[in-house]
Amino acid sequence: LKDERAMLLSDFEKQMILLADANNIINTSEFEKGSQKRPSNEHLDKVYNTLRETLPNLFVQPLDYSIYNPDLIFENNIRGTRTVGLYHYVKQIALLRTVGHLKFAYVKFEILKITIHPEDGTVKIRWRIRGISGLKVLFTFWRYKLWNIKEMFEDQEAWYDGFSIFYVGEDGLVYKHIADKMMPDSDKVP
């Protein structure tokens, strides 16, 4: 199964994964054990508010990386990768932004639901990336007014759902981010 996934990746993606794996020097199991103490409610609120304010602008401005631990563990279950370190996380986000802009003429990150869970020190987000393909814009631009982009989004069909869990340590910094894929809704409301 791993070989099948590797065949689906471009050479650039394979090199990025190898580079990330080569730089995973930290003993992640020790790091995770040390971060099991619960954060304060103020720390959770800060992470919650920062994510709520910055994630919707993911494709138009950089994220606020001040809430992340330098040794951040990122488990990307969508692509089947795991990286350690804020540097690698920033590269993954930059890659997501680049691919989003290459694939879509207009792309947007939406937060569908965001919740704080003090019992396990996490912030959980249900999100969606929506986009309008360049071909769709090209062939249907005459049907829409440029200032009414919301109408274009109502008619578009491309989106990716996901669910992320941000684990916050006692220092108030996110020490682990797990991203999982959610299936798009198959039922369309008329």
Side-chain angles (χ1 to χ4, degrees):
L1 180 66
K2 190 173 183 179
D3 292 335
E4 291 174 15
R5 282 194 308 230
M7 290 174 33
L8 297 175
L9 299 175
S10 70
D11 288 337
F12 174 75
E13 290 172 321
K14 290 175 188 174
Q15 290 173 356
M16 293 298 285
I17 290 169
L18 290 174
L19 177 65
D21 289 343
N23 288 322
N24 285 345
I25 298 170
I26 187 170
N27 183 342
T28 59
S29 61
E30 286 182 20
F31 179 72
E32 287 177 348
K33 288 177 189 172
S35 300
Q36 294 302 320
K37 294 184 181 177
R38 303 288 179 251
S40 68
N41 287 337
E42 292 79 22
H43 287 144
L44 283 172
D45 287 339
K46 180 180 183 217
V47 170
Y48 170 87
N49 288 325
T50 301
L51 292 171
R52 183 178 52 83
E53 292 169 8
T54 60
L55 281 178
N57 298 319
L58 173 70
F59 290 103
V60 292
Q61 66 185 32
L63 293 178
D64 179 358
Y65 293 106
S66 67
I67 62 168
Y68 297 99
N69 189 298
D71 297 320
L72 174 70
I73 299 165
F74 179 46
E75 290 184 16
N76 185 344
N77 295 332
I78 298 167
R79 294 184 55 220
T81 62
R82 177 183 170 108
T83 59
V84 177
L86 188 56
Y87 172 73
H88 297 292
Y89 185 71
V90 171
K91 286 194 312 186
Q92 293 286 325
I93 298 300
L95 181 63
L96 172 66
R97 290 175 68 171
T98 303
V99 169
H101 285 294
L102 290 174
K103 185 170 182 163
F104 300 111
Y106 184 80
V107 63
K108 183 175 182 179
F109 188 96
E110 297 175 343
I111 294 177
L112 303 176
K113 184 176 183 180
I114 182 169
T115 55
I116 298 176
H117 299 268
E119 64 277 1
D120 60 357
T122 62
V123 175
K124 297 179 180 179
I125 300 177
R126 173 110 158 69
W127 49 265
R128 176 175 289 159
I129 296 174
R130 295 176 74 176
I132 303 170
S133 72
L135 285 175
K136 184 155 189 151
V137 170
L138 182 65
F139 291 123
T140 62
F141 75 95
W142 53 271
R143 290 179 46 201
Y144 304 103
K145 296 178 177 99
L146 291 178
W147 54 88
N148 199 358
I149 198 74
K150 186 175 182 178
E151 185 180 328
M152 285 180 83
F153 258 139
E154 297 300 323
D155 293 341
Q156 64 84 29
E157 298 172 0
W159 74 85
Y160 299 94
D161 282 358
F163 185 76
S164 287
I165 303 172
F166 295 85
Y167 292 86
V168 183
E170 68 178 324
D171 58 358
L173 299 176
V174 175
Y175 68 89
K176 186 176 185 180
H177 174 193
I178 298 176
D180 280 307
K181 184 175 176 138
M182 301 285 288
M183 295 301 293
D185 298 329
S186 59
D187 298 329
K188 289 190 177 184
V189 178

